[in-house]
């Protein structure tokens, strides 16, 4: 086999992983198709650097990661490594975002929920039609469709979530972020070309790394890439392989990790037909595919409602381990997942509440 810079960097990354982790377990690699285009979907996205390395090393096929332009700005060497592994560079609107001047609020005296009012704002200077405004703590995001004045704009989708409405109706309004429109047509051309060539792409649809015990909302870009590539080339059969990334203390040196590959997702033909119709049908097709991806990822990841529940479940798992043998790391992950699912289903049962309380006290 011809040795390339890609192979050299992969060996180097393997050394880093073996040094950082005490144990790494890979499960389900037999689910990965041996040929044809694949989009690997990894979640939860706990570590922006390590997650990609694990996916590249254990996928058994060359994977070209999608990396945000913002990550390359962190250092010169990151850019060198990204080019060496032929990463796909993604320009995200939020990486070009800037704080909006003044405050914004929903005027309860006006019946139109799409009309946003500003206090000391400069909408005509900071915004353009097609830009987006984002609320604090990711409470909401909407596209600007009309700029009426420096203090009034019209948005495409109203803010309905309780947290969004709370900050928009509080006295004095709320801060906000202005995010420019980014033309992704060149990115999609690169992705379509790679998929048409039968290559594999690695994507982390949560959009950023985090330390939460649950998924953060998945970005729909991966659905547009998949359906767009298959719509542009009717003979193309893109498979989506969900990939669960589970860590024991992910930021701690000599910790342990499990990477689990699920069964490949075949794209239903009716979704491609809907995608070709544009408009609301296209959005519906992408939303349905994202729902399928989300449900499949949940089967592979340890997702708890909060850290307290995750901590209690892991303590319970340690307390009920077999006496005469040590559980393998993948068995621990599987048991954590089963205990969490069981707790969520029966948490209102008085016996379960009693056990939860005792384990928490312990």
């Amino acid at each position: 086999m011809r040795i390339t810079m890609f192979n050299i960097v992969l060996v180097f990354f393997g050394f880093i992983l073996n040094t950082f982790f005490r144990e790494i377990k890979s499960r389900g690699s037999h689910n990965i198709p041996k040929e044809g285009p694949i989009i690997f979907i990894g979640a939860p996205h706990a570590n922006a650097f390590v997650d990609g390395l694990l996916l590249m090393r254990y996928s058994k096929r060359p994977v070209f990661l999608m990396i945000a332009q913002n990550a390359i700005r962190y250092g010169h060497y990151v850019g060198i490594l990204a080019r060496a592994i032929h990463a796909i560079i993604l320009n995200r609107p939020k990486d070009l975002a800037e704080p909006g001047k003044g405050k914004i609020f929903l005027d309860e005296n006006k019946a139109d929920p799409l009309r946003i009012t500003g206090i000391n704002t400069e909408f005509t200077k900071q915004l353009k039609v097609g830009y987006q405004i984002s609320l604090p703590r990711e409470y909401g995001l909407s596209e600007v469709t009309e700029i009426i004045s420096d203090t009034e704009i019209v948005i495409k989708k109203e803010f309905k979530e309780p947290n969004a409405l709370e900050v928009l109706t509080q006295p004095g309004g709320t801060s906000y972020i202005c995010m420019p429109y980014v033309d992704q047509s060149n990115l999609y051309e690169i992705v379509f070309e790679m998929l048409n060539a039968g290559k594999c792409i690695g994507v982390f649809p949560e959009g950023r790394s985090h330390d939460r015990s649950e998924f953060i909302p998945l970005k729909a870009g991966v659905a547009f890439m998949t359906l767009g590539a298959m719509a542009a080339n009717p003979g193309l059969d893109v498979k989506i392989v969900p990939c669960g990334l589970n860590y024991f203390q992910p930021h701690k040196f000599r910790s342990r990790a499990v990477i689990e590959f699920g069964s490949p997702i075949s794209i239903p033909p009716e979704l491609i037909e809907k995608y070709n119709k544009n408009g609301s049908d296209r959005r519906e097709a992408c939303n349905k595919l994202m729902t399928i991806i989300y449900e499949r990822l949940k089967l592979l990841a340890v997702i708890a409602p909060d850290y307290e529940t995750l901590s209690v479940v892991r303590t319970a798992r340690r307390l009920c381990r077999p006496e005469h043998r040590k559980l393998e790391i993948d068995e621990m992950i599987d048991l954590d997942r089963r205990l969490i699912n069981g707790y969520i289903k029966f948490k209102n049962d008085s016996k379960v509440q009693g056990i939860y309380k005792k384990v928490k006290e312990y």
Side-chain angles (χ1 to χ4, degrees), residues 187-347:
L187 171 72
Y188 286 123
E189 286 180 9
I190 294 172
V191 170
F192 292 174
E193 183 179 335
M194 296 182 76
L195 292 175
N196 287 337
K199 296 181 179 179
C200 304
I201 294 173
V203 181
F204 299 93
E206 289 177 291
R208 63 180 176 85
S209 57
H210 62 92
D211 58 358
R212 301 183 189 180
S213 57
E214 76 285 352
F215 286 150
I216 61 176
L218 305 182
K219 303 296 187 293
V222 64
F224 281 97
M225 292 176 193
T226 307
L227 295 175
M230 295 181 72
N233 186 351
L236 192 65
D237 183 19
V238 179
K239 301 292 186 183
I240 294 177
V241 175
C243 177
L245 300 164
N246 298 288
Y247 301 96
F248 291 85
Q249 301 174 308
H251 303 289
K252 184 178 179 181
F253 183 66
R254 303 304 289 169
S255 59
R256 294 176 292 177
V258 174
I259 178 169
E260 185 169 358
F261 299 96
S263 300
I265 300 172
S266 297
I267 310 303
E270 58 269 21
L271 292 189
I272 302 173
E273 293 176 8
K274 275 185 171 292
Y275 181 89
N276 281 324
K277 294 179 181 179
N278 289 323
S280 59
D281 286 313
R282 174 169 291 188
R283 288 193 295 273
E284 183 183 348
C286 291
N287 289 336
K288 284 186 176 180
L289 181 55
M290 291 308 299
T291 299
I292 295 172
I293 292 171
Y294 176 75
E295 293 300 323
R296 295 289 287 275
L297 281 172
K298 283 200 307 184
L299 299 175
L300 303 174
V302 178
I303 303 298
D306 48 62
Y307 270 117
E308 180 182 284
T309 301
L310 181 61
S311 178
V312 168
V313 162
R314 285 185 167 169
T315 301
R317 183 251 301 156
R318 289 194 294 269
L319 289 172
C320 67
R321 64 186 177 187
E323 292 184 6
H324 303 297
R325 78 178 184 91
K326 182 180 178 181
L327 291 177
E328 297 291 334
I329 182 173
D330 55 329
E331 293 177 311
M332 294 180 192
I333 291 290
D334 189 53
L335 186 52
D336 284 347
R337 189 182 299 131
R338 289 170 179 268
L339 288 171
I340 288 172
N341 291 339
Y343 170 72
I344 292 173
K345 186 174 182 179
F346 299 107
K347 64 181 179 181

Side-chain angles (χ1 to χ4, degrees), residues 7-215:
N7 302 124
I8 294 172
V9 172
L10 200 59
V11 171
F12 173 67
F13 284 162
F15 173 77
I16 292 177
L17 290 174
N18 288 338
T19 302
F20 184 81
F21 288 104
R22 175 174 35 145
E23 182 182 7
I24 303 173
K25 195 91 169 183
S26 173
R27 298 179 64 181
S29 58
H30 61 277
N31 288 317
I32 302 172
K34 294 182 179 179
E35 57 184 27
I38 297 175
I39 298 182
F40 288 96
I41 306 295
H45 195 17
N47 189 302
F49 184 67
V50 173
D51 292 347
L53 302 190
L54 284 173
L55 179 56
M56 289 177 64
R57 184 181 183 188
Y58 290 97
S59 62
K60 292 189 174 181
R61 290 184 60 181
V63 178
F64 302 94
L65 300 178
M66 189 166 289
I67 299 177
Q69 176 70 44
N70 191 51
I72 295 178
R73 294 195 190 108
Y74 289 151
H76 177 64
Y77 294 108
V78 177
I80 293 175
L81 290 174
R83 287 188 290 273
I85 62 174
H86 308 295
I88 304 168
I89 308 303
L90 170 64
N91 279 310
R92 302 178 300 182
K94 71 177 185 178
D95 294 333
L96 304 173
E98 62 176 13
K101 294 183 179 179
K103 304 282 186 178
I104 60 173
F105 68 97
L106 270 176
D107 191 340
E108 295 178 324
N109 296 321
K110 297 180 179 178
D112 188 357
L114 298 178
R115 195 173 291 260
I116 301 294
T117 304
I119 305 171
N120 299 323
T121 50
E122 297 182 357
F123 291 151
T124 58
K125 295 180 181 178
Q126 283 200 291
L127 295 172
K128 294 180 181 179
V129 173
Y131 277 34
Q132 293 178 316
I133 57 170
S134 175
L135 301 180
R137 295 185 288 279
E138 299 185 355
Y139 284 161
L141 180 73
S142 191
E143 181 182 329
V144 177
T145 59
E146 183 182 355
I147 301 172
I148 299 173
S149 67
D150 268 335
T151 58
E152 201 164 19
I153 58 173
V154 178
I155 58 176
K156 186 174 183 177
K157 182 180 67 175
E158 65 178 287
F159 294 107
K160 294 182 178 180
E161 295 298 322
N163 288 332
L165 294 175
E166 181 181 351
V167 297
L168 282 169
T169 55
Q170 67 187 0
T174 180
S175 59
Y176 64 103
I177 299 292
C178 300
M179 297 197 298
Y181 169 76
V182 176
D183 184 4
Q184 302 287 13
S185 57
N186 185 54
L187 171 72
Y188 286 123
E189 286 180 9
I190 294 172
V191 170
F192 292 174
E193 183 179 335
M194 296 182 76
L195 292 175
N196 287 337
K199 296 181 179 179
C200 304
I201 294 173
V203 181
F204 299 93
E206 289 177 291
R208 63 180 176 85
S209 57
H210 62 92
D211 58 358
R212 301 183 189 180
S213 57
E214 76 285 352
F215 286 150

